[in-house]
Amino acid sequence: MTAPLPRPPVALTIAGSDPSGGAGIQADLKTFSALGAFGTSVITALTAQSTTGVTDVHEVPVAHVRAQLETLVADVRIDVVKVGMLASAPLVEVVHELLTTGPLAATPVVLDPVMVSTSGSRLLAPDAVDAVRALLPRADVVTPNVPEAGVLLDEPPAAAAADLPEQARRLRELGARRVLLKGGHLDGPESVDLWLDDDGPVALRGPRVATTATHGTGCTLSSAIAALRPRHDGWRPAVREARGWLTEALRHGESLEIGAGAGPVHHFHELVRWRATT
């Protein structure tokens, strides 16, 4: 008799939908599956989107977002939460409430403060930034990119990797417990992210992958961290593994040949390579 498989960690993504499959809920669920977590989702917004841009956003009514989440957690035990696109202040506020009360009050949270898509489309209302700042203390890890950090801090974005530690420190002053400040927007031969927790700053360096397949990179990294956290003793090793996995997903993204714009990363690159060798 075959032994039963171990129970996988259950990850929840609270985010917007991307019909092209490269970002948002779709990218999160693919990432969860690729990394061995069982994915669940609460949809906050429906986008009309492709690899070339976002043409429309329809916010899900706040009452329905509440109903989705309350119905889910009344039945399913959630081990980790990833929060992505929240679109508006009322949506941020209801998610904040539901993460601080009830079954999710002690659940680890990774917050990706989605504000602008890879193609440059705005995904967060300007008047919602204060609500996102108020959500920072509830997150165990916050993963802004350079432009998003600038918006949260109400100052110009970092111009070089040397600026990242100070901006990460100020994000902690806003209440963030741990910060992964992503430096992918910065020029240079390496990709440099800045990790900051109670033990101090650490520069995480890796190869910069030359690719046009960058759609959903931020969504994918944050959901990878969430999926991997239950398998590690702490956040830092989960972040390191997630970054390494994303590097390979970026490296193989162009092989998918999806769309005419910034294509998606290859979430299932490991599975495809395994099949190719068996």
Side-chain angles (χ1 to χ4, degrees):
M1 179 180 294
T2 303
L5 294 172
R7 174 191 180 273
V10 177
L12 165 63
T13 170
I14 305 173
S17 170
D18 170 15
S20 73
I25 289 281
Q26 288 83 348
D28 295 341
L29 293 175
K30 290 175 184 177
T31 301
F32 293 161
S33 294
L35 294 173
F38 182 87
T40 61
S41 63
V42 168
I43 299 177
T44 59
L46 306 175
T47 69
Q49 182 174 176
S50 70
T51 64
T52 61
V54 178
T55 60
D56 193 32
V57 175
H58 174 71
E59 295 175 20
V60 175
V62 170
H64 187 64
V65 171
R66 178 187 293 276
Q68 288 181 73
L69 204 152
E70 290 180 340
T71 301
L72 173 66
V73 300
D75 176 53
V76 178
R77 189 185 85 197
I78 304 298
D79 296 304
V80 65
V81 178
K82 175 262 172 85
V83 178
M85 178 185 177
L86 296 178
S88 69
L91 285 169
V92 178
E93 290 161 2
V94 73
V95 169
H96 191 173
E97 174 197 341
L98 294 168
L99 290 177
T100 52
T101 60
L104 295 179
T107 304
V109 174
V110 178
L111 171 61
D112 185 22
V114 175
M115 297 179 182
V116 179
S117 71
T118 300
S119 62
S121 302
R122 183 106 193 178
L123 299 176
L124 181 74
D127 64 0
V129 175
D130 283 343
V132 174
R133 292 190 187 108
L135 181 57
L136 294 179
R138 174 57 187 93
D140 293 86
V141 178
V142 182
T143 63
N145 59 31
V146 165
E148 290 162 349
V151 173
L152 289 169
L153 294 169
D154 194 22
E155 62 184 51
D163 300 329
L164 299 180
E166 179 60 21
Q167 289 210 327
R169 184 188 67 79
R170 288 201 289 277
L171 287 169
R172 290 253 294 173
E173 289 179 348
L174 290 179
R177 302 180 204 177
R178 302 168 188 85
V179 177
L180 178 66
L181 182 45
K182 301 173 295 189
H185 287 75
L186 303 176
D187 294 331
E190 289 185 304
S191 172
V192 182
D193 299 333
L194 194 287
W195 171 259
L196 181 61
D197 59 14
D198 289 340
D199 295 327
V202 177
L204 303 176
R205 301 178 183 276
R208 184 178 294 277
V209 179
T211 180
T212 59
T214 57
H215 183 55
T217 306
C219 302
T220 297
L221 179 59
S222 56
S223 54
I225 294 168
L228 292 166
R229 176 60 182 89
R231 303 184 185 278
H232 290 279
D233 292 333
W235 286 102
R236 193 179 297 186
V239 168
R240 289 188 182 276
E241 184 176 349
R243 291 181 76 255
W245 176 83
L246 177 62
T247 296
E248 292 305 307
L250 280 161
R251 202 184 307 278
H252 294 279
E254 289 184 354
S255 68
L256 294 170
E257 299 182 8
I258 303 295
V265 306
H266 199 324
H267 298 90
F268 295 110
H269 61 277
E270 292 179 332
L271 176 61
V272 171
R273 283 190 293 166
W274 177 81
R275 283 183 171 174
T277 59
T278 58

